[in-house]
Amino acid sequence: MNFTNITDFLDRITSPETSRGRVYSCSRIPGCELIINFGGREVYHEVFGFADIEEGRPLRRGALYNLYSVSKVLTVVTALTLVERGELLMSDPVSYYIPAFASMKVKRPDGSLADAEKPILTGDLFAMTSGIDYNISSPSVLKLLEGNPNPTALEAACAVAGEPLAFEPGSRWMYGLSLDVLGGLTEAVTGMSFGDYMKKVLLAPAGMTNTYFDIPESRIKDRPSLYRCDDSAGAGRGILNKIDIDTNEYRIAMSAQSGGAGLHSTADDQMILARILTDMGKAPNGARILSPETVRLMRENRLCGILADDFTAFNPILFTGYGYGCGVRTLLNRTAAGSLSSVGEFGWAGAGGCYLLADPEAGLSVFYAQQLLNSQEPYVHPRLRNMIYASLSLTK
């Protein structure tokens, strides 16, 4: 194993330069953290760059990152425990658990509305084939927030049900609020808050003690500053602008424990999650979170035809050669993806740049963390993935 290329790459993309009071970076990343676990052993853990560039505050291990959409992976693992316990079937209509979804409308191409011919199934939420878009400012959501500024995940899901679907359930793929609705559905099934149920079945048994929907006051200081990259400088130079650390364009309300984008966590905690998936449901401390068959279902491609085309078109750089399972992309074709990883490697990423990868066949778990909107994911993640596999000599 030789990680020199990885270290050089991460050092380069987090080495800022300043000019006339403005902060630049050659590849526009304020700071990052990378953990690689191979064969059940941590073989690499390094931190680069700054938690706050202007203050000169270095990023340190234990930083609390906004996971944004990496939250979806935890949501799916949590909800799959209901499938294992017989409390949920993917063939169940969502309306069994949330009656507000019983009579949905669908948008026609001409803008008119029609009654949905098919119900949204629970499996459609897992696979993003529900027809639910990502509009967190829809009229129904805004009406909810006017009367109830602190809704639960279930209440937020009921508001989402007030909007028409983008297509007939199961007929297309669209990245949207499906997994937020799944969090609300979990509340409906369990009678617990989504966060409490997640803690019961995942966080506590796995020993993930630094993952939160609601950050404790004592941990606020551990959050890196949040930046947004202005790409207008061009030629590989981005201007990094510090923005409100609570900026989140993907959650309906702070109180509605968002299954799609609501969690904060440390890289060490997320490595536990990555290892659970790599080890087919078993946590590093020995706790069994999911059965191996459930993890196989989670990572199995659920898309074909036009649905697969929808997925690839969403981000051709990142998703070509990949399929989509339950809340995760899964590698189908190494040649198409230009990837050195194994077929079946799976995971997901978030808007701030966090990235989780699990590869059971290779015994490889990866978690990469950063806190930058306009995250440069298409530049960083595929390069980093290939360098990791090359460094470990895992190409096949």
Side-chain angles (χ1 to χ4, degrees), residues 39-103:
R41 181 169 65 93
E42 185 177 289
V43 295
Y44 189 90
H45 191 165
E46 297 290 343
V47 183
F48 300 82
F50 293 91
D52 190 289
I53 296 173
E54 291 81 2
E55 296 176 4
R57 179 162 50 95
L59 188 63
R60 300 191 186 282
R61 185 170 181 169
L64 199 61
Y65 301 95
N66 191 333
L67 296 181
Y68 290 97
S69 283
V70 174
S71 303
K72 293 176 169 67
V73 184
L74 289 94
T75 293
V76 166
V77 170
T78 299
L80 284 172
T81 65
L82 297 175
V83 175
E84 290 194 341
R85 297 174 185 207
E87 298 184 58
L88 191 69
L89 287 175
M90 290 196 181
S91 57
D92 288 338
V94 173
S95 59
Y96 279 10
Y97 308 99
I98 308 179
F101 283 94
S103 300

Side-chain angles (χ1 to χ4, degrees), residues 314-336:
F314 182 66
N315 195 322
I317 294 175
L318 294 174
F319 295 163
T320 296
Y322 281 82
Y324 190 78
C326 296
V328 292
R329 63 186 177 196
T330 184
L331 183 62
L332 304 177
N333 186 322
R334 297 175 68 230
T335 302

Side-chain angles (χ1 to χ4, degrees), residues 24 35 46 65 74 80 83 100 106 110 117 140 186 193 217 256 323 348 358 384:
Y24 297 84
I35 311 178
E46 297 290 343
Y65 301 95
L74 289 94
L80 284 172
V83 175
V106 177
D110 63 4
E117 296 178 2
S140 297
T186 301
S193 76
E217 189 67 32
W348 200 245
L384 184 60

Side-chain angles (χ1 to χ4, degrees), residues 6 322 334 337-341 345 355 357 380-392 395:
I6 293 172
Y322 281 82
R334 297 175 68 230
S339 176
L340 302 185
S341 54
E345 162 259 300
Y355 172 40
L357 180 152
V380 176
H381 293 181
R383 286 171 168 80
L384 184 60
R385 176 200 63 207
N386 283 347
M387 284 189 290
I388 289 170
Y389 277 86
S391 296
L392 295 170
T395 54

